[in-house]
Amino acid sequence: MFERTANGPKPARSTLINRHSIATRLTHWVNALCIALLLLSGLQIFNAHPELYWGRYGADGDPAVLSIGAESGPSGTRGVVRVGSVTLPTTGVLGLSTLDGRPVARAFPAWLTIPSYQDLATGRRWHFFFAWLFVANGLVYLLAGVLSRHVARDLAPDRDQLTPRHLWREILDHARLRFPQGDEARRYNGLQKISYLAVIFVLLPLMVVTGLTMSPAMDAAFPVLLDIFGGRQSARTIHFFTASLVVLFVLVHVAMVVLSGPLNNLRSMITGRYAIREKGSDR
């Protein structure tokens, strides 16, 4: 990018800093792979019984918290999503999709699942393999983050970042697509830190533990899990919505990466080097 001077444009000055350690970079990309494959294989598993319940029991005919499927009506078959007593038509996206040129009743379409064809056993193999890889990778990240003080130094919010005035200003800056420059860009902003900590220490552990609660073997070894979550069906529902929040976080994260400078952000997560531009220069 360039600054305008009396003699014409000149390159805007920037400083390269070491932003991400090799441990952070490696675990980040393994996490990205695991989350993507866990999502796609998880939707395959959900398709085998596309209804969520609350409590210890749930089966066809029981009142569902959420269900995705197809129903027949005067105008033909349509896809629907039911949330409690509310029914939303979703033909072509959820509940009813086109496969080989014909409509097929299916919660999530073939292009969103692993494998693309309906196969619960294969979906579970994919899901369980990458779930354990995800857990192992997360433990490596936490261990490296604690030993290197990455968590305490980079993720713990500074006191000035937690004031209501500062957080409100950050919300307005994000809404206006104004991103930190100069010394402020050397650290994560308050919203980033709060989001990262919530995902790392709340959402992801909750997703893992509720996933374990759905395993009969784990329930036999640790029956307290069923008491904590109020039953396997409640755990399945929490698991689904927690995973949905993780997906939402990833979408917002990717959008912020693109809007704040994709090349600079990608370089920092590949090489560790991040360019800090002076205040007042273009992004």
Side-chain angles (χ1 to χ4, degrees), residues 12-248:
R13 287 178 294 179
S14 61
T15 303
L16 283 176
I17 64 170
N18 290 316
R19 174 159 242 184
H20 301 297
S21 68
I22 187 170
T24 298
R25 302 196 308 268
L26 289 176
T27 53
H28 170 274
W29 292 114
V30 173
N31 261 351
L33 173 67
C34 288
I35 288 176
L37 293 173
L38 283 170
L39 170 66
L40 300 181
S41 57
L43 296 182
Q44 168 71 239
I45 296 171
F46 180 84
N47 275 357
H49 188 77
E51 295 187 348
L52 299 174
Y53 309 95
W54 193 260
R56 295 185 177 273
Y57 308 103
D60 292 332
D62 290 337
V65 175
L66 178 143
S67 65
I68 304 175
E71 65 177 15
S72 299
S75 58
T77 305
R78 65 172 186 167
V80 294
V81 171
R82 293 187 181 89
V83 182
S85 59
V86 178
T87 300
L88 304 172
T90 52
T91 300
V93 181
L94 302 174
L96 187 71
S97 54
T98 302
L99 184 64
D100 296 329
R102 60 187 180 85
V104 175
R106 186 171 178 171
F108 289 95
W111 58 269
L112 259 181
T113 67
I114 290 180
S116 59
Y117 53 89
Q118 192 62 50
D119 188 336
L120 175 60
T122 302
R124 279 178 169 172
R125 292 191 192 101
W126 278 82
H127 202 72
F128 295 161
F129 175 82
F130 283 99
W132 287 117
L133 178 59
F134 176 75
V135 170
N137 186 66
L139 292 176
V140 170
Y141 170 80
L142 284 177
L143 180 61
V146 170
L147 293 178
S148 67
R149 299 196 71 253
H150 166 64
V151 173
R153 183 184 63 248
D154 300 324
L155 297 184
D158 298 325
R159 184 174 298 179
D160 67 295
Q161 292 181 316
L162 292 177
T163 63
R165 182 177 180 179
H166 182 90
L167 289 173
W168 178 244
R169 181 169 60 80
E170 286 191 359
I171 292 172
L172 293 179
D173 285 343
H174 276 73
R176 297 166 181 165
L177 301 182
R178 295 176 179 172
F179 300 102
Q181 293 181 337
D183 288 338
E184 277 298 308
R186 292 178 177 272
R187 62 176 181 170
Y188 294 133
N189 62 58
L191 293 179
Q192 281 179 301
K193 291 181 177 182
I194 292 171
S195 299
Y196 291 156
L197 290 175
V199 170
I200 294 170
F201 293 106
V202 179
L203 289 184
L204 295 183
L206 186 59
M207 189 171 66
V208 170
V209 176
T210 52
L212 293 174
T213 305
M214 288 186 280
S215 165
M218 292 301 298
D219 293 340
F222 305 100
V224 69
L225 290 173
L226 293 174
D227 296 327
I228 291 174
F229 295 107
R232 191 174 295 131
Q233 295 302 327
S234 296
R236 183 171 183 256
T237 299
I238 296 171
H239 188 77
F240 181 89
F241 284 108
T242 303
S244 299
L245 289 176
V246 172
V247 171
L248 177 61

